[in-house]
Amino acid sequence: MTKEAVQRTIDAIWRIESAKLIAGLARIVRDVGLAEDLAQDALIIALEKWPEAGIPDNPGAWLMTTAKRRAIDLIRRSRLREQKYEEVGRGSELYTEQEVDMSLDGEVGDDLLRLIFATCHPALSPEARVALTLRLLCGLTTDEIAHAFLVAESTIAQRIVRAKRTLTAMRVDFEVPAGEELKNRLSTVLEVIYLMFNEGYAATSGGSWLRPLLCQEALRLGRVLAEIAPEEPEAHGLVALMEIQSSRFKTRVNVEGEPILLMDQNRALWDQLLIRRGLAALDRAQKLGRPLGPYALQAAIAACHAKARQAADTDWVRISALYEALSRVMPSPIVELNRAVAIAMAFGPAFGLQLVDELTAMPAMKDYHLLPSVRADLLAKLDRMDEAREEFERAASMTRNARERELLLRRAAECE
């Protein structure tokens, strides 16, 4: 394996394993920043050793063992850290070497849920909670998070640094809260899991269109949340959305890993079990008798697609109405862009293009690659091929995902 291939493999492994490492370490050291440092140390050691020694059969276990040793070394050798652990650990069981082993070898999934609730502490601003959790659980860079939220990278970096300092200063417990505290944090936790799933469903950057393991972990955490908050309709709504979206995994890319658009997917291959589970979760949300929130509304939109046996059977009029409702409870230019697509499908591309053109003046959409992509698609349907080609090429130049770029350039070439 070439050095470049090893580097790519290590990058992929890190994206998969980093959240587990950080979550396990955070429960021990009670410090998110220190836990991330320890995990990064393990990565650096891997970058030094693996190109020569080869990638181990179980790289996740190798990284965990290495991080574990680093944690034990700190407990042994650093008096300052040792005093801190003794102070923080009064009444805790996690500060002997044997207990470090037990902690890191335990149920990782529970650690991930604890980490989400810790990083969604009410002492942090909502923006800081989301940024920090995406950094730690999804392994996104500050640049990728900034791109996703259409803000400056320096802004995201400052939010993350301040959030870590706040959690350290407050000595936040890494436990799942209960009662009113659970309710207070639930909305942000749901948002983070939603964004975590979205990153796996359509990766912001890199060479793969999908990150299935990230989606699976988000879905698992969502199911756990729905169990511990059964009266919260949005918890069931988010699970419903993720179940239905997950049903399309087999058809979202071809054998070469190239994206397949929704309208071109083979619906016979959609996972009917996941669709049934998603519809059942949506039904639970609706039966709670409260107005549908953003996740339940998006799940209802996904259900319209899931119920259509063929793309031509899709109820675009209902989807347009659901996006109208979504724009009221979660107003954003991205929701408006999706509403424009639905209206174009229901009433014709000219109507959709008019709405899309209104969004081009918004500063937040200046660097959002899906805006020229949608505009190009609508122009092509109106047989304005030269303009469509230019817009597809502009969208391709803006995306950070290699697979998506290839798709957009291919569509541009088809407009010749």
Side-chain angles (χ1 to χ4, degrees), residues 361-397:
M362 291 188 175
M365 300 295 277
K366 183 180 69 170
D367 298 320
Y368 189 58
H369 71 282
L370 290 181
L371 178 61
S373 174
V374 168
R375 192 167 187 275
D377 184 68
L378 296 176
L379 287 166
K381 289 176 179 176
L382 292 169
D383 205 27
R384 294 163 60 178
M385 292 303 181
D386 289 341
E387 295 171 83
R389 176 179 52 78
E390 290 177 3
E391 288 291 82
F392 277 130
E393 289 173 349
R394 188 160 75 91
S397 71

PDB file of all heavy atoms in Angstrom, residues 361-397:
ATOM      1  N   ALA A 361     -30.137  36.544  -3.808  1.00  0.00           N
ATOM      2  CA  ALA A 361     -29.716  37.814  -3.209  1.00  0.00           C
ATOM      3  C   ALA A 361     -29.362  37.671  -1.728  1.00  0.00           C
ATOM      4  O   ALA A 361     -28.810  38.599  -1.134  1.00  0.00           O
ATOM      5  CB  ALA A 361     -30.812  38.863  -3.376  1.00  0.00           C
ATOM      6  N   MET A 362     -29.653  36.518  -1.128  1.00  0.00           N
ATOM      7  CA  MET A 362     -29.385  36.341   0.304  1.00  0.00           C
ATOM      8  C   MET A 362     -27.898  36.086   0.539  1.00  0.00           C
ATOM      9  O   MET A 362     -27.331  35.134  -0.025  1.00  0.00           O
ATOM     10  CB  MET A 362     -30.202  35.165   0.847  1.00  0.00           C
ATOM     11  CG  MET A 362     -31.687  35.417   0.888  1.00  0.00           C
ATOM     12  SD  MET A 362     -32.545  34.073   1.749  1.00  0.00           S
ATOM     13  CE  MET A 362     -34.220  34.702   1.766  1.00  0.00           C
ATOM     14  N   PRO A 363     -27.246  36.878   1.392  1.00  0.00           N
ATOM     15  CA  PRO A 363     -25.812  36.674   1.653  1.00  0.00           C
ATOM     16  C   PRO A 363     -25.483  35.277   2.170  1.00  0.00           C
ATOM     17  O   PRO A 363     -24.438  34.721   1.829  1.00  0.00           O
ATOM     18  CB  PRO A 363     -25.500  37.743   2.715  1.00  0.00           C
ATOM     19  CG  PRO A 363     -26.560  38.788   2.532  1.00  0.00           C
ATOM     20  CD  PRO A 363     -27.785  38.051   2.103  1.00  0.00           C
ATOM     21  N   ALA A 364     -26.371  34.704   2.983  1.00  0.00           N
ATOM     22  CA  ALA A 364     -26.104  33.380   3.551  1.00  0.00           C
ATOM     23  C   ALA A 364     -26.021  32.291   2.493  1.00  0.00           C
ATOM     24  O   ALA A 364     -25.423  31.230   2.724  1.00  0.00           O
ATOM     25  CB  ALA A 364     -27.182  33.019   4.567  1.00  0.00           C
ATOM     26  N   MET A 365     -26.607  32.528   1.325  1.00  0.00           N
ATOM     27  CA  MET A 365     -26.636  31.515   0.273  1.00  0.00           C
ATOM     28  C   MET A 365     -25.511  31.697  -0.747  1.00  0.00           C
ATOM     29  O   MET A 365     -25.417  30.948  -1.713  1.00  0.00           O
ATOM     30  CB  MET A 365     -27.985  31.550  -0.450  1.00  0.00           C
ATOM     31  CG  MET A 365     -29.182  31.285   0.447  1.00  0.00           C
ATOM     32  SD  MET A 365     -29.188  29.614   1.123  1.00  0.00           S
ATOM     33  CE  MET A 365     -29.909  28.706  -0.253  1.00  0.00           C
ATOM     34  N   LYS A 366     -24.658  32.682  -0.524  1.00  0.00           N
ATOM     35  CA  LYS A 366     -23.624  33.021  -1.504  1.00  0.00           C
ATOM     36  C   LYS A 366     -22.707  31.830  -1.790  1.00  0.00           C
ATOM     37  O   LYS A 366     -22.319  31.613  -2.938  1.00  0.00           O
ATOM     38  CB  LYS A 366     -22.804  34.204  -0.990  1.00  0.00           C
ATOM     39  CG  LYS A 366     -21.742  34.686  -1.967  1.00  0.00           C
ATOM     40  CD  LYS A 366     -20.953  35.861  -1.397  1.00  0.00           C
ATOM     41  CE  LYS A 366     -20.090  35.423  -0.243  1.00  0.00           C
ATOM     42  NZ  LYS A 366     -19.130  36.477   0.179  1.00  0.00           N
ATOM     43  N   ASP A 367     -22.351  31.061  -0.757  1.00  0.00           N
ATOM     44  CA  ASP A 367     -21.416  29.947  -0.922  1.00  0.00           C
ATOM     45  C   ASP A 367     -22.100  28.586  -0.806  1.00  0.00           C
ATOM     46  O   ASP A 367     -21.421  27.570  -0.632  1.00  0.00           O
ATOM     47  CB  ASP A 367     -20.296  30.046   0.121  1.00  0.00           C
ATOM     48  CG  ASP A 367     -19.477  31.314  -0.037  1.00  0.00           C
ATOM     49  OD1 ASP A 367     -19.205  31.689  -1.193  1.00  0.00           O
ATOM     50  OD2 ASP A 367     -19.128  31.929   0.983  1.00  0.00           O
ATOM     51  N   TYR A 368     -23.411  28.571  -0.887  1.00  0.00           N
ATOM     52  CA  TYR A 368     -24.150  27.309  -0.743  1.00  0.00           C
ATOM     53  C   TYR A 368     -24.311  26.666  -2.115  1.00  0.00           C
ATOM     54  O   TYR A 368     -25.083  27.134  -2.957  1.00  0.00           O
ATOM     55  CB  TYR A 368     -25.503  27.570  -0.087  1.00  0.00           C
ATOM     56  CG  TYR A 368     -26.250  26.320   0.303  1.00  0.00           C
ATOM     57  CD1 TYR A 368     -25.694  25.396   1.178  1.00  0.00           C
ATOM     58  CD2 TYR A 368     -27.523  26.065  -0.200  1.00  0.00           C
ATOM     59  CE1 TYR A 368     -26.380  24.251   1.541  1.00  0.00           C
ATOM     60  CE2 TYR A 368     -28.223  24.927   0.169  1.00  0.00           C
ATOM     61  CZ  TYR A 368     -27.654  24.022   1.035  1.00  0.00           C
ATOM     62  OH  TYR A 368     -28.331  22.889   1.390  1.00  0.00           O
ATOM     63  N   HIS A 369     -23.602  25.579  -2.353  1.00  0.00           N
ATOM     64  CA  HIS A 369     -23.500  25.021  -3.708  1.00  0.00           C
ATOM     65  C   HIS A 369     -24.821  24.470  -4.247  1.00  0.00           C
ATOM     66  O   HIS A 369     -25.012  24.384  -5.462  1.00  0.00           O
ATOM     67  CB  HIS A 369     -22.442  23.927  -3.740  1.00  0.00           C
ATOM     68  CG  HIS A 369     -22.846  22.666  -3.033  1.00  0.00           C
ATOM     69  ND1 HIS A 369     -22.816  22.523  -1.669  1.00  0.00           N
ATOM     70  CD2 HIS A 369     -23.313  21.483  -3.519  1.00  0.00           C
ATOM     71  CE1 HIS A 369     -23.233  21.327  -1.338  1.00  0.00           C
ATOM     72  NE2 HIS A 369     -23.542  20.660  -2.433  1.00  0.00           N
ATOM     73  N   LEU A 370     -25.745  24.096  -3.349  1.00  0.00           N
ATOM     74  CA  LEU A 370     -27.001  23.530  -3.842  1.00  0.00           C
ATOM     75  C   LEU A 370     -27.913  24.580  -4.479  1.00  0.00           C
ATOM     76  O   LEU A 370     -28.816  24.222  -5.238  1.00  0.00           O
ATOM     77  CB  LEU A 370     -27.737  22.812  -2.706  1.00  0.00           C
ATOM     78  CG  LEU A 370     -27.092  21.505  -2.227  1.00  0.00           C
ATOM     79  CD1 LEU A 370     -27.919  20.868  -1.126  1.00  0.00           C
ATOM     80  CD2 LEU A 370     -26.898  20.530  -3.371  1.00  0.00           C
ATOM     81  N   LEU A 371     -27.671  25.843  -4.202  1.00  0.00           N
ATOM     82  CA  LEU A 371     -28.476  26.873  -4.851  1.00  0.00           C
ATOM     83  C   LEU A 371     -28.225  26.897  -6.361  1.00  0.00           C
ATOM     84  O   LEU A 371     -29.179  26.770  -7.141  1.00  0.00           O
ATOM     85  CB  LEU A 371     -28.210  28.240  -4.218  1.00  0.00           C
ATOM     86  CG  LEU A 371     -28.965  29.420  -4.837  1.00  0.00           C
ATOM     87  CD1 LEU A 371     -30.475  29.238  -4.713  1.00  0.00           C
ATOM     88  CD2 LEU A 371     -28.554  30.733  -4.186  1.00  0.00           C
ATOM     89  N   PRO A 372     -26.983  27.034  -6.848  1.00  0.00           N
ATOM     90  CA  PRO A 372     -26.782  26.957  -8.302  1.00  0.00           C
ATOM     91  C   PRO A 372     -27.106  25.580  -8.876  1.00  0.00           C
ATOM     92  O   PRO A 372     -27.521  25.472 -10.030  1.00  0.00           O
ATOM     93  CB  PRO A 372     -25.297  27.303  -8.480  1.00  0.00           C
ATOM     94  CG  PRO A 372     -24.665  27.076  -7.155  1.00  0.00           C
ATOM     95  CD  PRO A 372     -25.727  27.373  -6.143  1.00  0.00           C
ATOM     96  N   SER A 373     -26.971  24.527  -8.054  1.00  0.00           N
ATOM     97  CA  SER A 373     -27.311  23.189  -8.537  1.00  0.00           C
ATOM     98  C   SER A 373     -28.801  23.075  -8.836  1.00  0.00           C
ATOM     99  O   SER A 373     -29.208  22.572  -9.891  1.00  0.00           O
ATOM    100  CB  SER A 373     -26.898  22.140  -7.490  1.00  0.00           C
ATOM    101  OG  SER A 373     -27.337  20.858  -7.867  1.00  0.00           O
ATOM    102  N   VAL A 374     -29.626  23.549  -7.903  1.00  0.00           N
ATOM    103  CA  VAL A 374     -31.079  23.523  -8.118  1.00  0.00           C
ATOM    104  C   VAL A 374     -31.458  24.438  -9.279  1.00  0.00           C
ATOM    105  O   VAL A 374     -32.282  24.083 -10.136  1.00  0.00           O
ATOM    106  CB  VAL A 374     -31.817  23.949  -6.827  1.00  0.00           C
ATOM    107  CG1 VAL A 374     -33.297  24.213  -7.110  1.00  0.00           C
ATOM    108  CG2 VAL A 374     -31.670  22.873  -5.757  1.00  0.00           C
ATOM    109  N   ARG A 375     -30.847  25.611  -9.307  1.00  0.00           N
ATOM    110  CA  ARG A 375     -31.152  26.557 -10.387  1.00  0.00           C
ATOM    111  C   ARG A 375     -30.797  25.944 -11.744  1.00  0.00           C
ATOM    112  O   ARG A 375     -31.544  26.081 -12.723  1.00  0.00           O
ATOM    113  CB  ARG A 375     -30.378  27.857 -10.155  1.00  0.00           C
ATOM    114  CG  ARG A 375     -30.838  28.996 -11.055  1.00  0.00           C
ATOM    115  CD  ARG A 375     -30.281  30.336 -10.605  1.00  0.00           C
ATOM    116  NE  ARG A 375     -30.882  31.396 -11.405  1.00  0.00           N
ATOM    117  CZ  ARG A 375     -30.433  31.773 -12.594  1.00  0.00           C
ATOM    118  NH1 ARG A 375     -29.361  31.185 -13.110  1.00  0.00           N
ATOM    119  NH2 ARG A 375     -31.051  32.730 -13.271  1.00  0.00           N
ATOM    120  N   ALA A 376     -29.665  25.248 -11.812  1.00  0.00           N
ATOM    121  CA  ALA A 376     -29.256  24.607 -13.063  1.00  0.00           C
ATOM    122  C   ALA A 376     -30.264  23.558 -13.496  1.00  0.00           C
ATOM    123  O   ALA A 376     -30.618  23.469 -14.682  1.00  0.00           O
ATOM    124  CB  ALA A 376     -27.878  23.970 -12.886  1.00  0.00           C
ATOM    125  N   ASP A 377     -30.752  22.765 -12.549  1.00  0.00           N
ATOM    126  CA  ASP A 377     -31.718  21.719 -12.876  1.00  0.00           C
ATOM    127  C   ASP A 377     -32.999  22.316 -13.449  1.00  0.00           C
ATOM    128  O   ASP A 377     -33.557  21.809 -14.433  1.00  0.00           O
ATOM    129  CB  ASP A 377     -32.016  20.898 -11.619  1.00  0.00           C
ATOM    130  CG  ASP A 377     -32.944  19.736 -11.898  1.00  0.00           C
ATOM    131  OD1 ASP A 377     -32.521  18.802 -12.592  1.00  0.00           O
ATOM    132  OD2 ASP A 377     -34.099  19.770 -11.432  1.00  0.00           O
ATOM    133  N   LEU A 378     -33.453  23.405 -12.836  1.00  0.00           N
ATOM    134  CA  LEU A 378     -34.677  24.049 -13.320  1.00  0.00           C
ATOM    135  C   LEU A 378     -34.461  24.697 -14.689  1.00  0.00           C
ATOM    136  O   LEU A 378     -35.337  24.631 -15.561  1.00  0.00           O
ATOM    137  CB  LEU A 378     -35.156  25.087 -12.309  1.00  0.00           C
ATOM    138  CG  LEU A 378     -35.566  24.530 -10.932  1.00  0.00           C
ATOM    139  CD1 LEU A 378     -35.932  25.661  -9.984  1.00  0.00           C
ATOM    140  CD2 LEU A 378     -36.720  23.546 -11.067  1.00  0.00           C
ATOM    141  N   LEU A 379     -33.299  25.301 -14.899  1.00  0.00           N
ATOM    142  CA  LEU A 379     -32.991  25.883 -16.211  1.00  0.00           C
ATOM    143  C   LEU A 379     -32.957  24.807 -17.293  1.00  0.00           C
ATOM    144  O   LEU A 379     -33.438  25.019 -18.415  1.00  0.00           O
ATOM    145  CB  LEU A 379     -31.648  26.616 -16.152  1.00  0.00           C
ATOM    146  CG  LEU A 379     -31.642  27.948 -15.387  1.00  0.00           C
ATOM    147  CD1 LEU A 379     -30.215  28.402 -15.115  1.00  0.00           C
ATOM    148  CD2 LEU A 379     -32.409  29.015 -16.162  1.00  0.00           C
ATOM    149  N   ALA A 380     -32.395  23.644 -16.963  1.00  0.00           N
ATOM    150  CA  ALA A 380     -32.340  22.546 -17.932  1.00  0.00           C
ATOM    151  C   ALA A 380     -33.748  22.083 -18.309  1.00  0.00           C
ATOM    152  O   ALA A 380     -34.025  21.779 -19.475  1.00  0.00           O
ATOM    153  CB  ALA A 380     -31.526  21.397 -17.355  1.00  0.00           C
ATOM    154  N   LYS A 381     -34.636  22.032 -17.308  1.00  0.00           N
ATOM    155  CA  LYS A 381     -36.009  21.612 -17.591  1.00  0.00           C
ATOM    156  C   LYS A 381     -36.743  22.634 -18.470  1.00  0.00           C
ATOM    157  O   LYS A 381     -37.702  22.283 -19.163  1.00  0.00           O
ATOM    158  CB  LYS A 381     -36.763  21.402 -16.276  1.00  0.00           C
ATOM    159  CG  LYS A 381     -36.293  20.153 -15.518  1.00  0.00           C
ATOM    160  CD  LYS A 381     -36.981  20.008 -14.184  1.00  0.00           C
ATOM    161  CE  LYS A 381     -36.511  18.740 -13.484  1.00  0.00           C
ATOM    162  NZ  LYS A 381     -37.092  18.599 -12.131  1.00  0.00           N
ATOM    163  N   LEU A 382     -36.273  23.885 -18.412  1.00  0.00           N
ATOM    164  CA  LEU A 382     -36.854  24.923 -19.261  1.00  0.00           C
ATOM    165  C   LEU A 382     -36.117  25.046 -20.594  1.00  0.00           C
ATOM    166  O   LEU A 382     -36.366  25.982 -21.356  1.00  0.00           O
ATOM    167  CB  LEU A 382     -36.819  26.264 -18.522  1.00  0.00           C
ATOM    168  CG  LEU A 382     -37.743  26.372 -17.302  1.00  0.00           C
ATOM    169  CD1 LEU A 382     -37.431  27.621 -16.492  1.00  0.00           C
ATOM    170  CD2 LEU A 382     -39.211  26.365 -17.741  1.00  0.00           C
ATOM    171  N   ASP A 383     -35.192  24.092 -20.828  1.00  0.00           N
ATOM    172  CA  ASP A 383     -34.437  24.029 -22.079  1.00  0.00           C
ATOM    173  C   ASP A 383     -33.512  25.244 -22.262  1.00  0.00           C
ATOM    174  O   ASP A 383     -33.190  25.615 -23.384  1.00  0.00           O
ATOM    175  CB  ASP A 383     -35.385  23.903 -23.283  1.00  0.00           C
ATOM    176  CG  ASP A 383     -34.688  23.241 -24.477  1.00  0.00           C
ATOM    177  OD1 ASP A 383     -33.747  22.464 -24.239  1.00  0.00           O
ATOM    178  OD2 ASP A 383     -35.073  23.522 -25.627  1.00  0.00           O
ATOM    179  N   ARG A 384     -33.064  25.812 -21.169  1.00  0.00           N
ATOM    180  CA  ARG A 384     -32.086  26.914 -21.213  1.00  0.00           C
ATOM    181  C   ARG A 384     -30.720  26.310 -20.891  1.00  0.00           C
ATOM    182  O   ARG A 384     -30.138  26.506 -19.830  1.00  0.00           O
ATOM    183  CB  ARG A 384     -32.490  28.006 -20.233  1.00  0.00           C
ATOM    184  CG  ARG A 384     -33.801  28.684 -20.637  1.00  0.00           C
ATOM    185  CD  ARG A 384     -34.449  29.465 -19.513  1.00  0.00           C
ATOM    186  NE  ARG A 384     -33.626  30.550 -18.986  1.00  0.00           N
ATOM    187  CZ  ARG A 384     -34.037  31.389 -18.019  1.00  0.00           C
ATOM    188  NH1 ARG A 384     -35.283  31.264 -17.531  1.00  0.00           N
ATOM    189  NH2 ARG A 384     -33.243  32.335 -17.561  1.00  0.00           N
ATOM    190  N   MET A 385     -30.197  25.525 -21.848  1.00  0.00           N
ATOM    191  CA  MET A 385     -29.072  24.637 -21.595  1.00  0.00           C
ATOM    192  C   MET A 385     -27.758  25.367 -21.320  1.00  0.00           C
ATOM    193  O   MET A 385     -26.968  24.931 -20.475  1.00  0.00           O
ATOM    194  CB  MET A 385     -28.901  23.655 -22.755  1.00  0.00           C
ATOM    195  CG  MET A 385     -30.034  22.649 -22.863  1.00  0.00           C
ATOM    196  SD  MET A 385     -30.212  21.702 -21.326  1.00  0.00           S
ATOM    197  CE  MET A 385     -31.562  20.614 -21.760  1.00  0.00           C
ATOM    198  N   ASP A 386     -27.477  26.438 -22.016  1.00  0.00           N
ATOM    199  CA  ASP A 386     -26.224  27.153 -21.785  1.00  0.00           C
ATOM    200  C   ASP A 386     -26.167  27.706 -20.361  1.00  0.00           C
ATOM    201  O   ASP A 386     -25.145  27.591 -19.678  1.00  0.00           O
ATOM    202  CB  ASP A 386     -26.057  28.293 -22.798  1.00  0.00           C
ATOM    203  CG  ASP A 386     -25.761  27.776 -24.198  1.00  0.00           C
ATOM    204  OD1 ASP A 386     -25.337  26.611 -24.306  1.00  0.00           O
ATOM    205  OD2 ASP A 386     -25.947  28.529 -25.166  1.00  0.00           O
ATOM    206  N   GLU A 387     -27.269  28.290 -19.915  1.00  0.00           N
ATOM    207  CA  GLU A 387     -27.321  28.809 -18.550  1.00  0.00           C
ATOM    208  C   GLU A 387     -27.236  27.666 -17.529  1.00  0.00           C
ATOM    209  O   GLU A 387     -26.569  27.793 -16.490  1.00  0.00           O
ATOM    210  CB  GLU A 387     -28.612  29.589 -18.339  1.00  0.00           C
ATOM    211  CG  GLU A 387     -28.745  30.849 -19.165  1.00  0.00           C
ATOM    212  CD  GLU A 387     -30.136  31.440 -19.059  1.00  0.00           C
ATOM    213  OE1 GLU A 387     -30.395  32.166 -18.071  1.00  0.00           O
ATOM    214  OE2 GLU A 387     -30.980  31.160 -19.950  1.00  0.00           O
ATOM    215  N   ALA A 388     -27.892  26.563 -17.835  1.00  0.00           N
ATOM    216  CA  ALA A 388     -27.862  25.407 -16.932  1.00  0.00           C
ATOM    217  C   ALA A 388     -26.441  24.882 -16.780  1.00  0.00           C
ATOM    218  O   ALA A 388     -25.986  24.569 -15.674  1.00  0.00           O
ATOM    219  CB  ALA A 388     -28.793  24.317 -17.442  1.00  0.00           C
ATOM    220  N   ARG A 389     -25.725  24.768 -17.905  1.00  0.00           N
ATOM    221  CA  ARG A 389     -24.350  24.261 -17.854  1.00  0.00           C
ATOM    222  C   ARG A 389     -23.472  25.152 -16.960  1.00  0.00           C
ATOM    223  O   ARG A 389     -22.711  24.645 -16.129  1.00  0.00           O
ATOM    224  CB  ARG A 389     -23.768  24.192 -19.265  1.00  0.00           C
ATOM    225  CG  ARG A 389     -22.300  23.769 -19.307  1.00  0.00           C
ATOM    226  CD  ARG A 389     -21.777  23.705 -20.735  1.00  0.00           C
ATOM    227  NE  ARG A 389     -22.047  24.943 -21.453  1.00  0.00           N
ATOM    228  CZ  ARG A 389     -21.338  26.069 -21.309  1.00  0.00           C
ATOM    229  NH1 ARG A 389     -20.335  26.109 -20.448  1.00  0.00           N
ATOM    230  NH2 ARG A 389     -21.643  27.138 -22.011  1.00  0.00           N
ATOM    231  N   GLU A 390     -23.607  26.457 -17.116  1.00  0.00           N
ATOM    232  CA  GLU A 390     -22.807  27.380 -16.307  1.00  0.00           C
ATOM    233  C   GLU A 390     -23.109  27.224 -14.818  1.00  0.00           C
ATOM    234  O   GLU A 390     -22.205  27.258 -13.974  1.00  0.00           O
ATOM    235  CB  GLU A 390     -23.079  28.822 -16.748  1.00  0.00           C
ATOM    236  CG  GLU A 390     -22.521  29.155 -18.131  1.00  0.00           C
ATOM    237  CD  GLU A 390     -22.870  30.565 -18.565  1.00  0.00           C
ATOM    238  OE1 GLU A 390     -23.500  31.290 -17.748  1.00  0.00           O
ATOM    239  OE2 GLU A 390     -22.517  30.956 -19.702  1.00  0.00           O
ATOM    240  N   GLU A 391     -24.380  27.038 -14.495  1.00  0.00           N
ATOM    241  CA  GLU A 391     -24.759  26.887 -13.092  1.00  0.00           C
ATOM    242  C   GLU A 391     -24.281  25.555 -12.510  1.00  0.00           C
ATOM    243  O   GLU A 391     -23.845  25.496 -11.352  1.00  0.00           O
ATOM    244  CB  GLU A 391     -26.280  27.013 -12.931  1.00  0.00           C
ATOM    245  CG  GLU A 391     -26.811  28.424 -13.123  1.00  0.00           C
ATOM    246  CD  GLU A 391     -26.388  29.342 -11.988  1.00  0.00           C
ATOM    247  OE1 GLU A 391     -25.237  29.838 -12.041  1.00  0.00           O
ATOM    248  OE2 GLU A 391     -27.174  29.555 -11.044  1.00  0.00           O
ATOM    249  N   PHE A 392     -24.366  24.478 -13.289  1.00  0.00           N
ATOM    250  CA  PHE A 392     -23.835  23.191 -12.814  1.00  0.00           C
ATOM    251  C   PHE A 392     -22.330  23.297 -12.563  1.00  0.00           C
ATOM    252  O   PHE A 392     -21.816  22.775 -11.564  1.00  0.00           O
ATOM    253  CB  PHE A 392     -24.111  22.086 -13.837  1.00  0.00           C
ATOM    254  CG  PHE A 392     -25.487  21.475 -13.737  1.00  0.00           C
ATOM    255  CD1 PHE A 392     -26.294  21.344 -14.861  1.00  0.00           C
ATOM    256  CD2 PHE A 392     -25.973  21.015 -12.519  1.00  0.00           C
ATOM    257  CE1 PHE A 392     -27.557  20.775 -14.776  1.00  0.00           C
ATOM    258  CE2 PHE A 392     -27.238  20.433 -12.421  1.00  0.00           C
ATOM    259  CZ  PHE A 392     -28.025  20.321 -13.559  1.00  0.00           C
ATOM    260  N   GLU A 393     -21.618  23.971 -13.457  1.00  0.00           N
ATOM    261  CA  GLU A 393     -20.174  24.130 -13.291  1.00  0.00           C
ATOM    262  C   GLU A 393     -19.854  24.983 -12.062  1.00  0.00           C
ATOM    263  O   GLU A 393     -18.901  24.711 -11.332  1.00  0.00           O
ATOM    264  CB  GLU A 393     -19.565  24.753 -14.544  1.00  0.00           C
ATOM    265  CG  GLU A 393     -19.561  23.801 -15.741  1.00  0.00           C
ATOM    266  CD  GLU A 393     -19.104  24.468 -17.029  1.00  0.00           C
ATOM    267  OE1 GLU A 393     -18.995  25.721 -17.032  1.00  0.00           O
ATOM    268  OE2 GLU A 393     -18.860  23.755 -18.022  1.00  0.00           O
ATOM    269  N   ARG A 394     -20.666  26.018 -11.842  1.00  0.00           N
ATOM    270  CA  ARG A 394     -20.455  26.856 -10.657  1.00  0.00           C
ATOM    271  C   ARG A 394     -20.707  26.057  -9.378  1.00  0.00           C
ATOM    272  O   ARG A 394     -19.944  26.151  -8.407  1.00  0.00           O
ATOM    273  CB  ARG A 394     -21.391  28.070 -10.714  1.00  0.00           C
ATOM    274  CG  ARG A 394     -21.116  29.106  -9.629  1.00  0.00           C
ATOM    275  CD  ARG A 394     -21.697  30.450 -10.025  1.00  0.00           C
ATOM    276  NE  ARG A 394     -23.136  30.469  -9.884  1.00  0.00           N
ATOM    277  CZ  ARG A 394     -23.770  30.857  -8.767  1.00  0.00           C
ATOM    278  NH1 ARG A 394     -23.063  31.232  -7.713  1.00  0.00           N
ATOM    279  NH2 ARG A 394     -25.080  30.877  -8.712  1.00  0.00           N
ATOM    280  N   ALA A 395     -21.753  25.238  -9.373  1.00  0.00           N
ATOM    281  CA  ALA A 395     -22.035  24.398  -8.207  1.00  0.00           C
ATOM    282  C   ALA A 395     -20.898  23.410  -7.964  1.00  0.00           C
ATOM    283  O   ALA A 395     -20.498  23.176  -6.816  1.00  0.00           O
ATOM    284  CB  ALA A 395     -23.357  23.649  -8.408  1.00  0.00           C
ATOM    285  N   ALA A 396     -20.358  22.840  -9.039  1.00  0.00           N
ATOM    286  CA  ALA A 396     -19.254  21.883  -8.914  1.00  0.00           C
ATOM    287  C   ALA A 396     -18.022  22.536  -8.301  1.00  0.00           C
ATOM    288  O   ALA A 396     -17.298  21.913  -7.513  1.00  0.00           O
ATOM    289  CB  ALA A 396     -18.918  21.298 -10.280  1.00  0.00           C
ATOM    290  N   SER A 397     -17.789  23.794  -8.637  1.00  0.00           N
ATOM    291  CA  SER A 397     -16.622  24.495  -8.098  1.00  0.00           C
ATOM    292  C   SER A 397     -16.785  24.833  -6.619  1.00  0.00           C
ATOM    293  O   SER A 397     -15.798  25.104  -5.924  1.00  0.00           O
ATOM    294  CB  SER A 397     -16.369  25.781  -8.890  1.00  0.00           C
ATOM    295  OG  SER A 397     -17.374  26.751  -8.619  1.00  0.00           O
TER     296      SER A 397
END
